[in-house]
Structure formats: structure tokens, C-alpha cells
Amino acid sequence: MTTTPAPAPVETAQPPVSPSLSFASTVDRSLVHRDSLGEVFVTDLRGGGETGYQAAAQLPRSHAYYGDHLLRPRAHDPILLLEAARQAALAGAHAFFGIPARDKFILTFLRIHLVRPLLLAVRDAPLDLTMDVTVTDRRVREGRVVGLDHTIGFSVGGATIGWAGVGLRFRDPEGYRALRLANRDGAEPLSSAALPPEAVPVGAPATPYLVGRTDPDNVVLLDPEPRDGVAHAVLRAPAGHPSLFDHPQDHLPGMVLAEAARQLALFAALDSTGTSSAKNVLTELNVTFARFGELEPTTFLTAVCGEQQPAAGDEHLPIYTQAGPLELESDEVGQVVSQLAVEVDAQQNKESIARFSLTLARIRG
């Protein structure tokens, strides 16, 4: 289930948004595998060549999950941008590559790298996000597309703000069932809608502010604690959560693990550097999923912080807009002043299911 990630694209000025790219309404929820209309962020798809297409998404100013953060000044959640990229990849697979609605999608890797967090500030209108999707690997077997890897450039108002990567593999229902049974030594997968009590780990949920949240319902860690320079926690997978489990699943969704990694990284950063999650923003996440995360076993997470470093040079480069370059003052509120690398490992039954490399940026208040 692993794959080689695409290299980061060279950052250049983005072309003007196509006049036909619309932000007026969302795409059909079935294209992005969502039950709730409120969880659909992609608004349009255009293009559709073998090498890529354009997508639009609108990010809401408030959201019970993606908007629940301590970050000040307020900013759109980088995990929401990653979700928008994931939805753009899902929708494009159906719309442009003929992946049937009945097929199962398997997430193999996720990447996000943000270079202009200032431009994600929550303002007095929703954020219109343009995504330039490039298909970096198209896998075909017996005339059928069975895998797509994507690099997805983000721009806001013509200004480059970063990029994401999404890897997908496709199986028909019969092939997916065979794969899942093989992964589980023949045992039938459970559904998140009908988990037995013994499959739910027991522990104390993390105090919300320690992991960057205000609402306890959005906390996905149990019993976080630092020990000998390593932060430890147990995953709390809230199967009834309206965003993390929009519909029943037979495994741990990759976005649940990504959120757990981010929360443990914030917890570890607070212990390591004393920096509040109100001043730490996720600017980079890289993960390759080694195997399915199952619902029944306890998922243990560990996080190790590197050394805090000065802000990377690209944070002080000019922002390119349709009107030309725009220089920012180096002491502007919201500017990145330092960065911290954090490695997070998620394990079940003493085997790694996903290893995350994250970068947290401390912003000027």
C-alpha cells in the first residue's frame, strides 16, 4: 500500500483563475464520498486531461470541527486545506478518470506544505481556494485505472500559498473485500457504526487547550504524557464524530490519524519549547500509510521533537499575486518566526501503521 511521493513542485506565480471556475455551489456529495452536505468543500472541477485539472473549494469562516482552534490571529485550518485537496483528488478520479462510484478508494499518502500561512487568515468572507491538480503517476492495469498520485498547488486570489500531495488506489468491491480479509487473517472487518464496547479504549481525554482545541468533542487523544523526551498518547477515535466519521468506516480514516498526529505534535511542542498551540500552526505534514489502521486494536502514538529553528527562507519571499509581487513586513502579526520538526509514529500491535513528519511554525502575535 506504500508509494513513492512526488517531489515538491517549484513555486511559481499561479495563472489567473479560469473565469469558468465557480464557487457558487458544492459539487455532488457523492463525488467526494461525503454523506453531509456541510462536509463538502469542493465547488467546481474544470479541465480533465490525463495530466491534470483545476478545482475550486470554498473554506467556511466557521465550522464545528475545522474552525475549533486556539490559533491567534484566527486562520483557516491547514488540515481543512488537506481535506479540500483530498476531496479534489476523489472528485477528479470519478469525473475525469472513470473510477466507478461503487469502487473503494485507498489512501496511500498525504502531503501538505504551506509557505504563506498569513494568507489563510479568517476574514469577513469565506476563503475561495483554487487548486491546480497535476497527476504525477497514473497506474493502469488491464485497461483500467487502478491508482493516481497527485500534486495539488494551492492559490488564493492568484497568490501561491503551498501545495499538497494525495495518493489513491482503487479496488472494486470484490477486490477490496479480498484485500481487507487478507489484511485481517480472514476476520470480517468491523463497522465504526457498530463497535463493541471492548473496541473502545479507556482513558482520560486530553485537556482540549493542550492539543489546540476548545471543544472536548474534537479531542482525539487519551492520556497524553511526556516521558524521557517522548510524548505518548492513545488514539481516541470518535466513531460518532460528524466530520471525522461522516459515514461508517471499516478502518481508521487517514484524516483521523492526521489529526491525532497534529494534536500530539502540539502537545509535544508545548512540553518541549513552552510554545502554546495558540501560536503554533501546522505548515508541513508528510505521511505514507504502511497498512490499514484497524478499529479494534488500541492505537499508540509517540512524538519526538527536533530542535527549534529560525523561520525558513521561503516565508520571507514576496507573495506573487495577479497584480504582481507583494512584499510583507518581517515583523507583521502572523509572520512565522521559528519552526519545529516533529516525528509522530502510530502503532497497532507493535507495528507501525503510519509515520508522520510534521513542521509546526511559531507565529508572531
Side-chain angles (χ1 to χ4, degrees):
M1 200 188 303
T2 60
T3 187
T4 302
V10 176
E11 292 175 29
T12 59
Q14 294 294 319
V17 176
S18 166
S20 60
L21 201 59
S22 173
F23 298 90
S25 62
T26 59
V27 299
D28 189 311
R29 63 194 173 107
S30 66
L31 287 176
V32 297
H33 303 183
R34 282 291 175 258
D35 282 354
S36 171
L37 292 173
E39 298 299 321
V40 180
F41 305 107
V42 172
T43 61
D44 201 7
L45 301 167
R46 298 288 169 174
E50 288 191 359
T51 58
Y53 51 94
Q54 269 197 326
Q58 187 174 86
L59 310 187
R61 288 184 290 169
S62 64
H63 189 279
Y65 169 62
Y66 294 109
D68 175 42
H69 291 286
L70 298 177
L71 192 65
R72 296 294 182 271
R74 289 183 64 221
H76 291 280
D77 185 359
I79 295 289
L80 175 54
L81 271 77
L82 189 56
E83 172 63 14
R86 191 186 73 89
Q87 290 189 10
L90 297 178
H94 288 303
F96 302 132
F97 294 92
I99 308 303
R102 66 193 292 265
D103 274 16
K104 301 294 186 179
F105 284 42
I106 301 168
L107 189 63
T108 57
F109 70 83
L110 287 171
R111 313 277 184 260
I112 189 168
H113 180 76
L114 299 177
V115 295
R116 314 284 189 240
L118 255 176
L119 294 187
L120 292 177
V122 175
R123 304 189 189 279
D124 58 359
L127 186 75
D128 290 344
L129 178 71
T130 299
M131 293 176 279
D132 289 290
V133 183
T134 301
V135 175
T136 57
D137 186 17
R138 178 173 174 265
R139 301 188 179 193
V140 179
R141 184 179 302 144
E142 298 177 353
R144 179 175 179 268
V145 177
V146 295
L148 294 168
D149 292 346
H150 313 74
T151 296
I152 301 170
F154 295 131
S155 59
V156 174
T160 299
I161 63 168
W163 63 275
V166 179
L168 297 174
R169 300 295 178 264
F170 315 113
R171 294 288 183 100
D172 60 31
E174 296 76 21
Y176 179 77
R177 174 174 166 74
L179 175 64
R180 294 294 284 123
L181 290 174
N183 288 160
R184 294 171 54 84
D185 296 325
E188 287 285 346
L190 297 182
S191 169
S192 59
L195 284 179
E198 60 270 21
V200 180
V202 177
T207 303
Y209 80 88
L210 295 178
V211 295
R213 294 292 188 174
T214 63
D215 187 345
D217 288 343
N218 292 327
V219 172
V220 297
L221 298 182
L222 298 174
D223 300 325
E225 62 170 336
R227 297 199 304 266
D228 300 323
V230 180
H232 298 258
V234 170
L235 177 68
R236 171 181 176 259
H241 195 284
S243 296
L244 293 171
F245 285 86
D246 166 78
H247 55 279
Q249 299 276 3
D250 72 354
H251 61 279
L252 290 175
M255 296 300 288
V256 172
L257 292 170
E259 175 60 18
R262 190 253 299 268
Q263 289 189 15
L264 191 58
L266 289 171
F267 178 84
L270 178 62
D271 179 69
S272 174
T273 69
T275 304
S276 164
S277 57
K279 295 300 176 187
N280 260 335
V281 62
L282 177 71
T283 56
E284 189 165 8
L285 179 150
N286 297 277
V287 60
T288 296
F289 298 101
R291 56 187 298 133
F292 283 97
E294 302 294 350
L295 295 170
E296 312 99 293
T298 300
T299 304
F300 296 95
L301 298 111
T302 56
V304 178
C305 294
E307 294 294 324
Q308 200 162 34
Q309 301 292 336
D314 59 4
E315 183 60 31
H316 301 290
L317 292 174
I319 291 175
Y320 291 97
T321 71
Q322 295 177 22
L326 172 67
E327 293 282 358
L328 294 175
E329 297 296 330
S330 61
D331 59 353
E332 188 169 349
V333 171
Q335 196 80 6
V336 172
V337 295
S338 63
Q339 295 178 318
L340 180 70
V342 186
E343 298 292 319
V344 176
D345 188 25
Q347 293 194 3
Q348 291 184 338
N349 300 319
K350 298 184 179 181
E351 292 187 7
S352 180
I353 59 173
R355 288 191 174 94
F356 293 81
S357 296
L358 306 96
T359 300
L360 300 177
R362 184 167 68 86
I363 61 171
R364 192 180 304 280

